[in-house]
Amino acid sequence: MKKKRKEYFMNLRNDVAFKIIFGTPAHAELLMRFLNSMFSGEKTITKVEFKNKEVLPPDKDGKRMVYDVYCTNQRNEYFILEMQNVYEPYFENRALLYALKGLTEQVKKGHNYYLDPVFAIFLTNFDFEHLKKGISHDFGLIDRNTREEFTNLLNMRFIPMSSVKKTWNDCRTSYDKILFLIKNIHKMDKNSDAYRSREYDDFFDAAELDNLAEEDFVAYSQSYAKMEETERAMEYMCSQSFSKGEAVGFAKGEFEGFRKTAIKLKDLGFDTATIADATGLTPEEINQL
């Protein structure tokens, strides 16, 4: 049996790891470094203030939203960061609602409708079927005819991991290098080119498993086990000839195919949360199968 390689650093595609690195005050400098590399030439962020990641609905029938990272900068611009590993039905809709919530949350009684810009940034471990593959996408509100910007308030960026440079030496900018770390740091050790460059010691220190507090290590380990289960479920789905295109079709109402897959995953012993992540079905729908 092949011995599993020891990992020195967290997998930053993992929910818990991503939040530790970019969503905690202790590592605010890492978040600012990432955002400044992304918006190089457009803005310089010198301060971030983390906001409550959980946005509660206005009434009991509403749906709560929980962001990976939610903050403002020194100019009171809003930033939402999300890591999404698996395409889920209606993901585009959810992303849009996340961005819009950053605007609507600013409006209070007596508000004069002055709003600060919102930047919703989604790192995805998949490409969208209806968009060009292997590149980042930057959306705003523009006139389809003249390409003029209507307002700068709503901004959405989708960064697929397929757009990340293939090797460390291919990376030319700080933005390239940080994206490369997000995708690959868990595969590295202290002999890797990125580590030996000494440019990103702060990222490596924060991501080193041996440096985690006990509660963070436990949370990461549990989340990582769930992530591996979901990936196994996705591999099974691919082996059964389900494609991303069929996932998009499911999002448009083709429920039966993923219901059958959920039954198979359930029979194979996958837990409800993993099946929900892999198929997009709700826990209630899965429990009724």
Side-chain angles (χ1 to χ4, degrees), residues 4 7-21 182 185-187 206-210 212-228:
K4 189 172 182 180
E7 290 189 352
Y8 293 90
F9 306 104
M10 291 189 293
N11 185 329
L12 301 192
R13 289 191 294 106
N14 176 274
D15 238 14
V16 169
F18 190 81
K19 291 172 185 175
I20 290 173
I21 296 297
I182 291 172
I185 195 170
H186 63 289
K187 302 174 187 175
E208 188 167 349
L209 288 165
D210 288 344
L212 293 181
E214 183 177 353
E215 61 271 22
D216 287 338
F217 183 81
V218 171
Y220 171 73
S221 299
Q222 292 172 341
S223 181
Y224 187 76
K226 183 174 179 294
M227 179 175 149
E228 285 188 318

Side-chain angles (χ1 to χ4, degrees), residues 65 87-101 122 128 130 156 158 251-252:
M65 295 181 179
Y87 179 86
E88 297 175 354
Y90 306 114
F91 173 70
E92 295 90 338
N93 296 4
R94 177 160 69 88
L96 180 59
L97 285 173
Y98 273 30
L100 289 172
K101 192 67 176 176
F122 302 88
F128 292 96
H130 60 296
M156 300 177 67
F158 294 89
K252 295 176 181 176

Side-chain angles (χ1 to χ4, degrees), residues 229-264:
E229 279 287 290
T230 300
E231 289 177 349
R232 279 209 308 123
M234 293 301 294
E235 287 173 5
Y236 172 79
M237 290 170 66
C238 290
S239 73
Q240 299 300 303
S241 300
F242 284 97
S243 68
K244 290 178 187 173
E246 286 173 300
V248 173
F250 168 71
K252 295 176 181 176
E254 297 173 8
F255 177 86
E256 188 60 23
F258 275 72
R259 193 185 73 84
K260 290 179 179 177
T261 302
I263 291 172
K264 291 179 182 177

Side-chain angles (χ1 to χ4, degrees), residues 26 29 34 69 95 129 162 171 177 206 220 224 270 274 287-288:
E29 290 292 333
F34 181 34
V69 181
E129 287 292 321
S162 61
C171 299
K177 292 175 179 178
Y220 171 73
Y224 187 76
F270 287 98
T274 298
N287 290 333
Q288 290 171 7

